Amino acid sequence: MSKRKEITGVTEIFGVMGYPVAHSLSPAMQNKAFDYYELDKIYLAFAVPPNCLTQALNGLRALGVTGVNVTLPYKEVVARQVDLLSPEAQLIGAVNVLRFDQDRLVGHNTDGTGFLQSLEQDAGFTPAGKKVLVLGAGGAARAVILTLARFGAAQISIANRTRQRATELATEVEAKTGQKAVGLSLEPSELKPWVPEADLVIQATSVGLYPKGESPSWFNPDWLSPTALVCDLIYRPRPSEFLKRAALRGCRTLDGLGMLLYQGAQSFTWWTGLEAPVDVMRQSLLKQLG
Ligand code: NDP
C-alpha cells in the first residue's frame, strides 16, 4: 500500500460532522481510501455542539472544506439547510453526505443505497418482489425502508416500540413509492403473524448495541422462517445476540458492517469520481473493530 503524502497548503479537507463523533470509524476508513490513490486529501472528525450547527455549515463553506459526512444528530436538520438535495436524500428526507459544488451546498444520502449494496453483494439478495419486515422506525430504518420500497420490495411491515412512528412511516412509504407498507407495534399478538412470511427481516432498533449487547426481549426467533435472510444494522458487537439467535434458527445472517462500509465507499466516489477501494476500506473497519 502507498504512503500518505505530506499535508500541504493545497491539501483538500473532508470530514464527518456530528455530536459526538470521537467514536467514528470513518476518519481512518476514508484516509485509507485517500492513501490508496495517493490523493492530496485529508479526512477529519468535527464535533459540532447542537447550538453551533449553522455556524459549522457556514464555516465549512468559508474554510473551503470540499465535503463532509453527516452523522447523528444532524442528518435530518441539515437536509433542510442545503441548496440542493439528490433524489436519494429527497426520498429519505435526510443527508449523510455533503459536498460543495462551486458555491452550492449539495446533500446526498448513501445510507439506504449502502445497505442495498451490502444486501446484493454480501448476501446475494435482491429486494424486488420480496416481503420485508423491519423492526424499528428511527433514522436508519427510514433510510433502509424507503430505499427497499424504491427498489421494488413488494410489501414492507414496520414494527416499532412507538407504534405511531411506524404507521406514519408506512403511510409515507406508500405515498412516496406506491409500494404496500403497514405499521405495527412490538406487541407479540401484532408482530408475530408478519414474521414467518418475511423473506427479509431487518433489526434496525438500537437494542443490542455495544456495550449492553442484549437480545430484543420482544422478538422470538422461533417465529422466523429458516429460509429468511436476517439482518441487524448493528456492527458492534458482531454478531449481535439477535443474529446469533437467528443463525441458531437456521437463517442466513448479515450484520451492519456492510452498510457502514458501502455508505462510506459511495461517499468517497461521490466526492472523487473514483471507484472506492472497498477492500482497503473494509480492512480498516475490521481493524478498528478488533
Ligand atoms: P434512532 O435513535 O433514530 O432510532 C432508534 C430506534 O430504536 C427507534 O425505532 C426506537 O423506537 C428503537 N428503540 C430504542 N430503544 C428501544 C427499546 N428499548 N425497545 C424497542 N425499540 C427501541 O437510531 P438510528 O435509527 O440511527 O440507529 C438504529 C440502529 O442502527 C443503531 O443500533 C445504530 O447503531 C444502527 N445503525 C447502523 C448503521 C450502519 O451503517 N450499519 C447506520 C446507522 C445506524 P422508538 O421510535 O419507540 O423510540
Side-chain angles (χ1 to χ4, degrees), residues 69-220:
N69 283 122
V70 180
T71 188
L72 290 178
Y74 299 130
K75 291 184 181 189
E76 293 183 11
V77 61
V78 169
R80 296 193 287 273
Q81 298 198 23
V82 300
D83 300 312
L84 195 69
L85 285 175
S86 71
E88 291 81 1
Q90 253 172 46
L91 176 75
I92 295 163
V95 301
N96 74 313
V97 54
L98 300 173
R99 73 177 181 212
F100 287 97
D101 278 351
Q102 273 92 40
D103 208 28
R104 284 188 318 179
L105 182 58
V106 186
H108 181 38
N109 194 306
T110 63
D111 282 331
T113 51
F115 176 73
L116 186 71
Q117 189 174 352
S118 177
L119 261 190
E120 292 180 342
Q121 291 189 2
D122 300 338
F125 186 97
T126 313
K130 301 290 184 2
K131 291 184 178 172
V132 181
L133 167 66
V134 180
L135 308 170
R142 245 188 104 69
V144 162
I145 289 166
L146 282 154
T147 304
L148 292 175
R150 186 172 176 209
F151 282 83
Q155 173 192 291
I156 303 185
S157 38
I158 307 164
N160 196 46
R161 178 176 61 180
T162 311
R163 189 180 192 281
Q164 190 185 348
R165 231 176 152 188
T167 51
E168 283 173 6
L169 182 52
T171 305
E172 186 180 340
V173 168
E174 293 196 340
K176 282 183 166 170
T177 69
Q179 301 302 98
K180 228 168 116 39
V182 60
L184 311 164
S185 74
L186 296 177
E187 284 301 316
S189 58
E190 217 172 310
L191 172 58
K192 184 181 169 185
W194 296 87
V195 184
E197 64 173 54
D199 304 302
L200 172 64
V201 176
I202 304 165
Q203 202 300 108
T205 76
S206 38
V207 178
L209 199 56
Y210 176 87
K212 270 178 120 182
E214 74 276 40
S215 190
S217 55
W218 31 264
F219 190 85
N220 184 345

